[in-house]
Amino acid sequence: MHEMSLCENILGILKEQALAQNFETVTRVSVEIGSLSCVEPEALRFGFDVVMRGSLAEDATLEIIETEALAECLDCGATSAIAERYDPCPMCGSHRRKVTRGEEFRIRELEVN
């Protein structure tokens, strides 16, 4: 379950930012997860609760914002939503598409004290 290591990375970032920005506790962590990122939201929630125990984010809530994947067709230039990485273009049927959104996993926002 790589979500646990993602949560450990989040905690490391929180610790770095607490030192850099002089805060002591985190009350909310908002993360953005693209639908093609291979991150399972429920596994991330579980991992977050486990990893944050005893830390500056022990009582923090995790907000997950799931983003839809988009791809641009390299043949006709159309951009559309995709469910799978190799979905065909709905305009021309081409499979030559470049994913432009949906692979991200990032901390979007923190609430701190």
Side-chain angles (χ1 to χ4, degrees), residues 39-108:
V39 175
E40 178 58 46
E42 288 311 309
L44 188 70
R45 284 186 200 286
F46 174 79
F48 185 84
D49 290 341
V50 170
V51 170
M52 298 306 153
R53 283 187 198 141
S55 75
L56 73 162
E58 181 170 26
D59 295 321
T61 58
L62 176 65
E63 176 185 45
I64 296 175
I65 301 161
E66 295 183 63
T67 59
E68 173 181 61
L70 297 176
E72 178 185 359
C73 180
L74 299 176
D75 291 329
C76 75
T79 296
S80 61
I82 56 172
E84 300 290 330
R85 188 169 303 278
Y86 300 105
D87 284 352
C89 174
M91 301 301 285
C92 72
S94 173
H95 287 275
R96 291 180 8 97
R97 302 185 77 195
K98 177 183 175 188
V99 175
T100 58
R101 188 178 82 185
E103 298 175 315
E104 57 278 332
F105 176 75
R106 63 178 153 242
I107 297 173
R108 188 172 188 179

Side-chain angles (χ1 to χ4, degrees), residues 2-66:
H2 74 284
E3 286 81 0
M4 193 70 82
S5 64
L6 292 173
C7 291
E8 290 170 354
N9 289 338
I10 290 171
L11 181 57
I13 292 168
L14 296 178
K15 289 177 179 178
E16 288 173 9
Q17 291 305 305
L19 288 173
Q21 297 185 38
N22 199 29
F23 59 83
E24 294 180 12
T25 59
V26 178
T27 57
R28 186 176 61 89
V29 178
S30 176
V31 296
E32 187 175 354
I33 301 174
S35 62
L36 299 178
S37 67
C38 298
V39 175
E40 178 58 46
E42 288 311 309
L44 188 70
R45 284 186 200 286
F46 174 79
F48 185 84
D49 290 341
V50 170
V51 170
M52 298 306 153
R53 283 187 198 141
S55 75
L56 73 162
E58 181 170 26
D59 295 321
T61 58
L62 176 65
E63 176 185 45
I64 296 175
I65 301 161
E66 295 183 63

